[in-house]
Amino acid sequence: MIPFSVMLPTLLAFQQDLTKLKVADGGGSFFFPPEASTFAKPYDGMYDFIQWVSIVFGVLIFAVLFGFVAKYNRKKHPVAIQGNTHNLALELLWSVPPGFLLFYMFWIGFKGFLDLREPPRDAYTIAVSGQKWAWSFSYPNGAKSGELHVPVNRPVMLTMTSQDVIHSLYIPAFRCKQDVVPGRTTRQWFVPTRIGTYVIECAEYCGTSHSDMLTKCVVHEQADFDAWVKEAANWLGDWIKAGKPLAEAGRRLYTEELACKTCHTIDGTKFTGPTFKDAWGRHETLTDGRSVTVDEAYFRKSIKEPTADVVSGFTPVMAPQPLDEDQVKAMIEFLKSISEHK
Ligand code: CUA
């Protein structure tokens, strides 16, 4: 059991993380987030049905229980009443009709489960990669992002895998959740029905920053989505062609696309990984006692084999980062631009 003194601050921190995301998750009810996919209505209906059956039967059973306690207590009946061992009609009454209710619950649950398992053939497919502690999304045209972007009213399928441990991609407003497992591909699908921004959570405990493994799902109008995904695929190439400063491209990669920011700050704060501020040219001692200077060779090795040369005081948790050459160059310029000794 997790002690309450640990659990409460964790829960509060999680609440803050949600506020930080500034997600417009409005429009939900007291119990539920907004209904933003085609799954939401039937599932909430199912939940309400089970909830109300439980409440009605719970109240009934407790009423009978207390009624019997009042009526047949030992003070009034010092000698046990003998004779009636059972009543067939009563027993059928409390077994058969509730049996139908239970079967109906199974049936709607089973149908809902089959729905969830079977994506339509024309679904728009987005590849998802989970790692400690960030999500990244890859679109069919080569675009990549750290937030999920999808078109409204169109089936979207996520094919998901993990770089390290088990995560679970959960979009409460869509009522869908599926484990993301290393070494295999899992999938889930949904049809977003409401334009807006919704929170994505990791729903499988995956280590220290599990509760920070948050991002957003942005639901666009189809035309806006097309424009977004086109820009997202080409921006870095266009940027370089236009001769714009690479360091700024690196900053955009850091804030919008890559997973760096979940562990490496740029304001000097120590987090899961060493801060990027003043990182370039810094002399670091490694966990095995060797020392290195943070330069291009070290950076390139660190994204390929993150657990090889870990700075002392940190644990090796990072998964290899598949950056292309343009991204590597842009990140290097960005790191230099926020470092004193370049
Ligand atoms: Cu990833 Cu919890």
Side-chain angles (χ1 to χ4, degrees), residues 133 135 166-168 202-206 210 213:
W133 288 279
W135 299 106
I166 303 181
H167 305 276
S168 178
C202 177
E204 182 69 55
Y205 183 69
C206 54
H210 157 72
M213 200 167 163

Side-chain angles (χ1 to χ4, degrees), residues 85-231:
T85 54
H86 71 278
N87 181 322
L88 184 66
L90 255 182
E91 279 171 26
L92 285 176
L93 182 73
W94 71 51
S95 305
V96 178
F100 279 115
L101 285 178
L102 289 179
F103 184 78
Y104 179 66
M105 284 176 198
F106 163 78
W107 180 244
I108 53 178
F110 182 61
K111 255 183 36 191
F113 174 78
L114 290 184
D115 267 1
L116 269 179
R117 306 306 310 169
E118 271 316 305
R121 275 160 193 270
D122 61 341
Y124 181 78
T125 307
I126 299 170
V128 179
S129 163
Q131 61 178 290
K132 292 193 263 184
W133 288 279
W135 299 106
S136 68
F137 303 95
S138 314
Y139 303 78
N141 71 344
K144 281 195 166 61
S145 65
E147 293 172 356
L148 175 61
H149 291 256
V150 292
V152 73
N153 292 330
R154 183 165 167 199
V156 173
M157 179 167 73
L158 306 179
T159 55
M160 313 185 293
T161 191
S162 166
Q163 306 304 316
D164 38 46
V165 298
I166 303 181
H167 305 276
S168 178
L169 191 137
Y170 178 31
I171 313 178
F174 295 172
R175 313 289 191 270
C176 65
K177 171 164 73 179
Q178 176 67 50
D179 277 6
V180 179
V181 183
R184 74 157 95 152
T185 304
T186 54
R187 50 184 205 173
Q188 63 173 328
W189 75 284
F190 48 79
V191 182
T193 52
R194 250 181 58 163
I195 290 180
T197 306
Y198 307 98
V199 69
I200 297 180
E201 296 168 14
C202 177
E204 182 69 55
Y205 183 69
C206 54
T208 332
S209 294
H210 157 72
S211 63
D212 292 318
M213 200 167 163
L214 297 163
T215 186
K216 296 182 217 177
C217 174
V218 186
V219 181
H220 301 271
E221 207 74 81
Q222 181 75 50
D224 296 344
F225 174 77
D226 292 342
W228 177 86
V229 80
K230 193 166 165 231
E231 202 268 345

